[in-house]
Amino acid sequence: MEHSSFLFQAVIYLTAAVIAVPLATRLGLGSVLGYLIAGVVIGPHALELVGDASEEMHVAEFGVALMLFLIGLELQPRKLWRMRGAIFGTGTAQLLLTAAAIAAVAMLAYGREWRSALAIGLILGLSSTAIVLQSLTEKGLLRTEGGRGAFSVLLFQDIAVIPILALLPLLAGSQPELQASGLSGWRYALAFTGTMLAFVLAGRYLLGPLLRLVAGSQLREMFTVTSLLIVVGAAAVMIWLDLSPALGTFMAGVILAESQFRHELEADIQPFKGLLLGLFFIAVGASINFNLIAQYPLLLLALVLLLVVVKFTVLFALARAARMSRGEDWLFALSLAQAGEFGFVLVSFAAQRQVLEDTTANLLVVVIALSMALTPILLLVYEQFVQPRYLRGGSASHSQEQEPPEDHGSPVIIIGYGRFGQIAGRLLNACGFETTLLERNAEQLDLVRRYGIKAYYGDASREELLKAAGAKNAKLVILTLSDQAASLEIVAQLHKHFPHVTILARARNRMHQYALMEAGVKYIFRETVDSALSIGECALQLLGLSPLQARRAARKFRQHDQRMLESLFPYWRDESQHIAQTRIYREQLLQALQEDRRDRDLHLDHHWEADDSKTKPGL
């Protein structure tokens, strides 16, 4: 019965997600709100298809840990350094000022004690990374000045979740000791610092060799298992030490941010993160207490509006202090004026540590959800009223586009970094173009890394890996694999999911080239043609032809060979027809070269006769 009950619950959750999320996305509300709506509908306060979602919430919270792992993977030191001013300057000011303002309102207007008021301020000071980034991307506003500023603040907030999780237990005035460890506040902070240091050292010296060993097995499923083991193991260590599991997964991500396995790890974890995070939001929606909304409708409305007004005021003041252009300051402030999805986690965490009582926690969950629901409306207000006024119909917004705030990868992705790919990559790098290198062979990866070349491990036939490597924003993909089946699989993925990318492909032989042509690849290069023609041209010179004559013969051969290849393409699957047509074209090539040689000899004869006629009078 328990097994059938579990399957029935799974069917309900999945059905609700399949129906609600696409509809919410189509309406411009975003997937997060779709999950929340699905949870509300199936929850105990609506259709009552599911009961208490607390058990599902505990399982689904691991999706948040997976999100923090992926965030950690993106936090490369060079990215943080390039954006340090906006992230740590504006981001720090936003969180501290917003938390202080909300805490002051909580203390003065609602009589909260300073510890719980500060906890509320920190929780509501965060904004929704998922909703804001998705909404700005869909509307084409992420690259604007306001969009870049919002991204920087969100990135700092994602980092700030970690110290907030460590700080909340210290605000538990009545019970400052943790349940499992029994540590007091300062001892807890000391344990946290020591654990982070030990975790970094262990991860740096253990994870790299482990991933290289697994990659050498060439088993995709084993790498997926290892990726989950790293995340689950990091979370388990933190739980064993009575710390937040999100801390462990975040640190694991940061440690591996510079690893050559980063893109493969991201591709492996992404589906699990999306599934569990979706379940988390459904559970949040199902847990919203609508009896509380019916009991305190005016209070909740006032709290939501007060939250939006306070956050907008602080954010707008910061935008003006940072001298953002008119209109962009509105975008910056309106896009971040809601609470965030991490607030659900922090509210639950604070309630467990008895920083907040249950009634307050339930009110905050409703306030967070309702404020998130307002975000599409706030951005619609910006598009309909603010943008036309300040940006003259919106044209200035896009005229100010610069580089995207995220490191979306290089304009060129090279798949396969063996002897063929290395030459192409070195030429591009020497001319100042950055490349992202993907290599499936772990031994080859170690070899090129010893020469100081930065390459990443991964199977490029996977859509998730290509996306993680930056294919969405790449201009070119240079495909250098000699394996025909593997290269065709990658071409199919690129055409299906990234049709804007131009593919330059290596072909091992004519059959490989025909297959690539059939797959729709326009730029194909047979690996032996240039070197074979070069050696043939050198042989002609050694046999007595001048460099010009040898070069002309090689050029004529290449042109005829290319025409022949294109003409034989319709027959490449019919062996008998292909052989018959090939013989005809070879005879035509031989005849063309012979005619060219006769023309050359005749030209030389006329040249010598002219020279003789000039010398006869002097004899």
Side-chain angles (χ1 to χ4, degrees):
M1 291 295 293
E2 291 183 0
H3 180 68
S4 60
S5 176
F6 169 77
L7 291 178
F8 181 70
Q9 294 274 11
V11 169
I12 291 175
Y13 276 97
L14 293 174
T15 302
V18 168
I19 295 174
V21 174
L23 288 176
T25 303
R26 180 177 290 272
L27 293 173
L29 302 177
S31 60
V32 175
L33 285 179
Y35 284 119
L36 289 171
I37 293 170
V40 168
V41 172
I42 67 175
H45 302 284
L47 298 181
E48 299 183 356
L49 297 177
V50 297
D52 184 13
S54 58
E55 291 298 325
E56 289 81 0
M57 181 81 75
H58 289 308
V59 175
E61 281 178 356
F62 191 65
V64 181
L66 293 178
M67 175 185 279
L68 279 175
F69 176 75
L70 295 177
I71 291 173
L73 282 178
E74 294 297 325
L75 293 181
Q76 297 170 299
R78 59 185 176 88
K79 179 193 293 187
L80 291 177
W81 183 254
R82 188 170 62 246
M83 303 173 63
R84 62 192 182 278
I87 294 174
F88 297 104
T90 308
T92 302
Q94 179 274 327
L95 184 57
L96 293 180
L97 292 176
T98 304
I102 295 175
V105 171
M107 293 173 62
L108 297 176
Y110 296 96
R112 303 293 305 186
E113 191 262 341
W114 74 269
R115 291 184 180 87
S116 63
L118 180 58
I120 293 171
L122 291 171
I123 292 170
L124 298 182
L126 301 177
S127 302
S128 175
T129 300
I131 288 183
V132 174
L133 291 186
Q134 179 176 330
S135 300
L136 292 179
T137 301
E138 290 175 355
K139 297 177 182 296
L141 298 172
L142 187 58
R143 296 189 180 193
T144 62
E145 184 182 5
R148 293 195 306 274
F151 173 82
S152 300
V153 170
L154 289 170
L155 185 57
F156 176 80
Q157 290 180 359
D158 290 337
I159 301 172
V161 170
I162 306 304
I164 291 175
L165 283 168
L167 178 62
L168 285 178
L170 305 182
L171 298 176
S174 59
Q175 292 189 6
E177 295 190 354
L178 301 177
Q179 295 178 358
S181 62
L183 296 176
S184 61
W186 69 270
R187 289 175 180 168
Y188 184 93
L190 185 61
F192 167 77
T193 305
T195 302
M196 288 296 100
L197 179 60
F199 194 79
V200 169
L201 294 175
R204 185 174 298 275
Y205 292 105
L206 291 179
L207 293 183
L210 174 63
L211 290 172
R212 281 193 292 270
L213 177 65
V214 175
S217 68
Q218 296 291 310
L219 296 174
R220 179 186 297 180
E221 64 274 13
M222 285 308 301
F223 203 94
T224 302
V225 170
T226 306
S227 302
L228 288 174
L229 175 62
I230 291 172
V231 179
V232 174
V237 169
M238 290 299 163
I239 292 175
W240 181 60
L241 294 170
D242 202 31
L243 294 169
S244 169
L247 296 176
T249 58
F250 178 80
M251 291 305 302
V254 172
I255 292 169
L256 294 169
E258 293 289 348
S259 168
Q260 64 264 43
F261 302 102
R262 177 168 67 93
H263 293 309
E264 185 78 1
L265 287 167
E266 183 177 351
D268 282 334
I269 294 298
Q270 189 72 37
F272 297 98
K273 185 269 294 184
L275 179 63
L276 289 175
L277 204 57
L279 177 60
F280 172 77
F281 289 126
I282 291 178
V284 168
S287 64
I288 293 177
N289 191 338
F290 279 85
N291 293 328
L292 203 62
I293 296 178
Q295 188 176 357
Y296 305 106
L298 296 179
L299 174 62
L300 286 170
L301 178 62
L303 289 175
V304 172
L305 294 179
L306 186 60
L307 170 65
V308 172
V309 169
V310 169
K311 294 195 73 172
F312 174 84
T313 303
V314 172
L315 289 163
F316 191 82
L318 286 173
R320 298 309 309 143
R323 297 182 180 179
M324 283 190 184
S325 58
R326 290 291 185 178
E328 296 295 329
D329 48 6
W330 281 82
L331 174 62
F332 174 75
L334 287 172
S335 63
L336 297 174
Q338 77 294 119
E341 57 270 9
F342 279 122
F344 297 129
V345 182
L346 296 175
V347 167
S348 175
F349 188 76
Q352 291 174 6
R353 295 302 190 272
Q354 298 186 10
V355 180
L356 299 174
E357 59 272 18
D358 291 341
T359 303
T360 302
N362 291 333
L363 283 171
L364 287 177
V365 168
V366 176
V367 169
I368 292 170
L370 294 178
S371 70
M372 290 170 65
L374 280 177
T375 303
I377 300 175
L378 294 177
L379 290 177
L380 185 63
V381 169
Y382 169 79
E383 284 188 306
Q384 296 297 322
F385 300 103
V386 179
Q387 195 177 47
R389 177 181 177 183
Y390 287 102
L391 304 178
R392 295 180 182 178
S395 58
S397 172
H398 296 283
S399 68
Q400 295 179 7
E401 287 191 7
Q402 300 179 11
E403 289 300 313
E406 293 182 276
D407 182 8
H408 289 295
S410 307
V412 181
I413 299 175
I414 300 179
I415 300 175
Y417 206 64
R419 53 188 175 85
F420 195 97
Q422 288 177 31
I423 296 175
R426 286 163 54 195
L427 175 60
L428 291 172
N429 295 150
C431 293
F433 292 97
E434 293 186 3
T435 57
T436 297
L437 313 176
L438 299 178
E439 174 58 54
R440 190 73 174 88
N441 188 302
E443 294 181 359
Q444 178 67 16
L445 194 68
D446 286 336
L447 177 62
V448 299
R449 282 220 158 205
R450 285 201 293 269
Y451 285 92
I453 300 171
K454 193 169 186 179
Y456 297 99
Y457 175 83
D459 180 2
S461 64
R462 304 175 58 194
E463 176 199 353
E464 297 87 356
L465 180 71
L466 291 170
K467 186 180 297 183
K472 185 177 180 180
N473 294 277
K475 295 180 180 179
L476 304 176
V477 170
I478 300 179
L479 182 56
T480 71
L481 302 183
S482 61
D483 187 318
Q484 178 173 324
S487 65
L488 290 175
E489 188 175 0
I490 294 171
V491 167
Q493 290 289 339
L494 290 170
H495 282 325
K496 181 179 180 181
H497 301 290
F498 311 100
H500 68 283
V501 172
T502 301
I503 304 173
L504 290 77
R506 164 196 183 183
R508 185 167 53 87
N509 50 37
R510 288 178 180 272
M511 295 299 107
H512 192 181
Q513 179 159 357
Y514 287 141
L516 290 169
M517 291 169 64
E518 189 176 60
V521 180
K522 295 182 180 180
Y523 302 96
I524 307 170
F525 304 86
R526 275 182 290 153
E527 61 183 25
T528 57
V529 170
D530 286 331
S531 57
L533 286 177
S534 296
I535 198 172
E537 182 179 332
C538 181
L540 289 176
Q541 293 183 44
L542 293 175
L543 290 172
L545 270 67
S546 69
L548 179 61
Q549 292 168 345
R551 191 159 49 251
R552 178 180 175 181
R555 183 173 64 251
K556 196 171 188 65
F557 183 94
R558 175 192 282 277
Q559 293 171 350
H560 189 279
D561 184 71
Q562 183 61 31
R563 287 196 300 269
M564 180 180 70
L565 189 99
E566 295 172 357
S567 300
L568 291 176
F569 174 57
Y571 310 106
W572 81 282
R573 291 189 179 277
D574 187 338
E575 185 177 359
S576 59
Q577 282 287 337
H578 186 270
I579 292 174
Q581 292 295 326
T582 300
R583 288 177 176 175
I584 295 174
Y585 277 105
R586 283 182 177 175
E587 292 175 0
Q588 292 176 355
L589 173 61
L590 179 61
Q591 181 180 357
L593 290 177
Q594 288 175 347
E595 291 177 356
D596 184 70
R597 186 172 60 186
R598 284 196 298 268
D599 292 342
R600 185 187 68 240
D601 293 342
L602 181 62
H603 173 75
L604 290 176
D605 289 342
H606 286 309
H607 179 72
W608 290 333
E609 288 176 2
D611 287 344
D612 289 343
S613 64
K614 291 178 182 180
T615 56
K616 281 180 181 179
L619 292 176

